[in-house]
Short mmCIF file of all heavy atoms in Angstrom, two decimals:
data_model
loop_
_atom_site.label_atom_id
_atom_site.label_comp_id
_atom_site.label_asym_id
_atom_site.label_seq_id
_atom_site.Cartn_x
_atom_site.Cartn_y
_atom_site.Cartn_z
N MET A 159 28.69 -29.71 11.84
CA MET A 159 27.98 -28.89 10.87
C MET A 159 28.41 -27.44 11.01
O MET A 159 28.40 -26.89 12.09
CB MET A 159 26.46 -29.00 11.10
CG MET A 159 25.63 -28.09 10.19
SD MET A 159 23.86 -28.19 10.58
CE MET A 159 23.54 -29.89 10.13
N THR A 174 20.51 -19.33 18.98
CA THR A 174 20.84 -20.57 19.65
C THR A 174 20.80 -21.71 18.64
O THR A 174 20.29 -21.57 17.53
CB THR A 174 19.85 -20.87 20.78
OG1 THR A 174 18.54 -21.02 20.22
CG2 THR A 174 19.83 -19.71 21.78
N ALA A 175 21.32 -22.86 19.03
CA ALA A 175 21.38 -24.01 18.12
C ALA A 175 19.99 -24.41 17.64
O ALA A 175 19.81 -24.84 16.50
CB ALA A 175 22.05 -25.19 18.82
N SER A 176 18.97 -24.25 18.48
CA SER A 176 17.63 -24.67 18.10
C SER A 176 17.01 -23.77 17.04
O SER A 176 16.02 -24.13 16.42
CB SER A 176 16.72 -24.68 19.34
OG SER A 176 16.64 -23.38 19.90
N GLN A 177 17.62 -22.58 16.82
CA GLN A 177 17.09 -21.65 15.83
C GLN A 177 17.66 -21.88 14.44
O GLN A 177 17.18 -21.29 13.48
CB GLN A 177 17.38 -20.21 16.27
CG GLN A 177 16.62 -19.80 17.53
CD GLN A 177 17.04 -18.42 17.99
OE1 GLN A 177 18.19 -18.18 18.35
NE2 GLN A 177 16.10 -17.48 17.96
N TYR A 178 18.67 -22.70 14.33
CA TYR A 178 19.26 -22.96 13.03
C TYR A 178 18.37 -23.87 12.19
O TYR A 178 17.72 -24.78 12.70
CB TYR A 178 20.63 -23.61 13.18
CG TYR A 178 21.71 -22.67 13.66
CD1 TYR A 178 22.13 -22.66 14.97
CD2 TYR A 178 22.31 -21.78 12.77
CE1 TYR A 178 23.11 -21.78 15.42
CE2 TYR A 178 23.29 -20.90 13.19
CZ TYR A 178 23.70 -20.92 14.51
OH TYR A 178 24.67 -20.05 14.94
N ARG A 179 18.36 -23.63 10.85
CA ARG A 179 17.64 -24.50 9.92
C ARG A 179 18.69 -25.29 9.14
O ARG A 179 19.42 -24.73 8.32
CB ARG A 179 16.80 -23.66 8.95
CG ARG A 179 15.59 -23.05 9.60
CD ARG A 179 14.83 -22.16 8.60
NE ARG A 179 13.60 -21.69 9.17
CZ ARG A 179 13.51 -20.67 10.03
NH1 ARG A 179 14.61 -20.03 10.39
NH2 ARG A 179 12.34 -20.29 10.52
N PRO A 180 18.78 -26.60 9.40
CA PRO A 180 19.76 -27.41 8.66
C PRO A 180 19.41 -27.45 7.17
O PRO A 180 18.27 -27.70 6.80
CB PRO A 180 19.62 -28.80 9.29
CG PRO A 180 18.92 -28.57 10.59
CD PRO A 180 18.03 -27.40 10.37
N ILE A 181 20.40 -27.18 6.33
CA ILE A 181 20.20 -27.23 4.89
C ILE A 181 20.93 -28.42 4.29
O ILE A 181 20.41 -29.12 3.43
CB ILE A 181 20.70 -25.92 4.24
CG1 ILE A 181 19.78 -24.76 4.66
CG2 ILE A 181 20.72 -26.03 2.73
CD1 ILE A 181 20.17 -23.44 4.06
N SER A 182 22.13 -28.66 4.75
CA SER A 182 22.91 -29.82 4.31
C SER A 182 23.82 -30.21 5.46
O SER A 182 23.76 -29.65 6.54
CB SER A 182 23.73 -29.46 3.07
OG SER A 182 24.77 -28.56 3.41
N LEU A 185 25.94 -26.98 5.98
CA LEU A 185 25.38 -25.63 6.04
C LEU A 185 24.10 -25.60 6.86
O LEU A 185 23.23 -26.45 6.72
CB LEU A 185 25.08 -25.13 4.62
CG LEU A 185 24.45 -23.74 4.50
CD1 LEU A 185 25.42 -22.66 4.94
CD2 LEU A 185 24.00 -23.49 3.06
N ALA A 186 24.02 -24.60 7.73
CA ALA A 186 22.80 -24.32 8.48
C ALA A 186 22.63 -22.81 8.52
O ALA A 186 23.62 -22.07 8.50
CB ALA A 186 22.87 -24.89 9.89
N ILE A 187 21.40 -22.33 8.54
CA ILE A 187 21.16 -20.90 8.53
C ILE A 187 20.14 -20.53 9.61
O ILE A 187 19.39 -21.38 10.10
CB ILE A 187 20.62 -20.41 7.17
CG1 ILE A 187 19.26 -21.05 6.87
CG2 ILE A 187 21.61 -20.68 6.06
CD1 ILE A 187 18.56 -20.47 5.67
N THR A 188 20.13 -19.27 9.97
CA THR A 188 19.09 -18.78 10.87
C THR A 188 17.99 -18.01 10.15
O THR A 188 16.86 -18.01 10.61
CB THR A 188 19.70 -17.86 11.96
OG1 THR A 188 20.38 -16.78 11.34
CG2 THR A 188 20.66 -18.63 12.83
N PRO A 189 18.27 -17.32 9.02
CA PRO A 189 17.21 -16.54 8.39
C PRO A 189 16.09 -17.42 7.83
O PRO A 189 16.35 -18.41 7.14
CB PRO A 189 17.93 -15.81 7.24
CG PRO A 189 19.37 -15.90 7.56
CD PRO A 189 19.55 -17.17 8.31
N PRO A 190 14.83 -17.08 8.10
CA PRO A 190 13.72 -17.82 7.50
C PRO A 190 13.61 -17.47 6.01
O PRO A 190 13.82 -16.33 5.60
CB PRO A 190 12.50 -17.32 8.28
CG PRO A 190 12.90 -15.99 8.82
CD PRO A 190 14.38 -16.06 9.06
N VAL A 191 13.27 -18.49 5.21
CA VAL A 191 13.22 -18.34 3.75
C VAL A 191 11.78 -18.48 3.26
O VAL A 191 11.11 -19.48 3.53
CB VAL A 191 14.11 -19.39 3.06
CG1 VAL A 191 14.00 -19.27 1.54
CG2 VAL A 191 15.56 -19.25 3.51
N ASP A 213 12.46 -29.07 2.45
CA ASP A 213 11.56 -29.03 3.60
C ASP A 213 11.99 -28.03 4.66
O ASP A 213 11.26 -27.78 5.62
CB ASP A 213 11.42 -30.43 4.22
CG ASP A 213 12.76 -31.03 4.64
OD1 ASP A 213 13.78 -30.29 4.62
OD2 ASP A 213 12.78 -32.21 5.00
N TRP A 214 13.16 -27.41 4.51
CA TRP A 214 13.64 -26.48 5.53
C TRP A 214 13.17 -25.04 5.29
O TRP A 214 13.46 -24.16 6.10
CB TRP A 214 15.16 -26.52 5.62
CG TRP A 214 15.89 -26.47 4.32
CD1 TRP A 214 16.42 -27.54 3.64
CD2 TRP A 214 16.19 -25.31 3.53
NE1 TRP A 214 17.03 -27.11 2.48
CE2 TRP A 214 16.90 -25.75 2.40
CE3 TRP A 214 15.94 -23.95 3.68
CZ2 TRP A 214 17.35 -24.87 1.40
CZ3 TRP A 214 16.37 -23.07 2.70
CH2 TRP A 214 17.06 -23.54 1.58
N ILE A 215 12.47 -24.78 4.19
CA ILE A 215 12.04 -23.41 3.95
C ILE A 215 10.96 -23.01 4.96
O ILE A 215 10.21 -23.83 5.46
CB ILE A 215 11.53 -23.21 2.51
CG1 ILE A 215 10.35 -24.12 2.21
CG2 ILE A 215 12.64 -23.42 1.51
CD1 ILE A 215 9.78 -23.90 0.82
N HIS A 216 10.90 -21.74 5.25
CA HIS A 216 10.01 -21.20 6.27
C HIS A 216 8.56 -21.19 5.81
O HIS A 216 7.65 -21.56 6.56
CB HIS A 216 10.47 -19.78 6.61
CG HIS A 216 9.49 -18.96 7.39
ND1 HIS A 216 9.07 -19.31 8.66
CD2 HIS A 216 8.82 -17.81 7.07
CE1 HIS A 216 8.21 -18.40 9.09
NE2 HIS A 216 8.03 -17.49 8.16
N GLU A 217 8.30 -20.75 4.57
CA GLU A 217 6.92 -20.67 4.08
C GLU A 217 6.88 -20.66 2.56
O GLU A 217 7.86 -20.28 1.89
CB GLU A 217 6.22 -19.41 4.60
CG GLU A 217 6.79 -18.12 4.05
CD GLU A 217 6.09 -16.87 4.59
OE1 GLU A 217 5.10 -17.00 5.32
OE2 GLU A 217 6.58 -15.75 4.28
N ASP A 264 13.09 -13.53 6.00
CA ASP A 264 14.15 -12.56 5.74
C ASP A 264 14.70 -12.70 4.33
O ASP A 264 15.20 -11.74 3.75
CB ASP A 264 15.30 -12.75 6.74
CG ASP A 264 14.89 -12.42 8.16
OD1 ASP A 264 13.96 -11.62 8.34
OD2 ASP A 264 15.49 -12.98 9.09
#
Side-chain angles (χ1 to χ4, degrees):
M159 176 183 295
T174 63
S176 61
Q177 293 175 297
Y178 287 101
R179 288 177 174 79
I181 292 181
S182 70
L185 178 67
I187 63 171
T188 57
V191 177
D213 58 9
W214 46 261
I215 60 177
H216 166 63
E217 67 180 355
D264 294 334

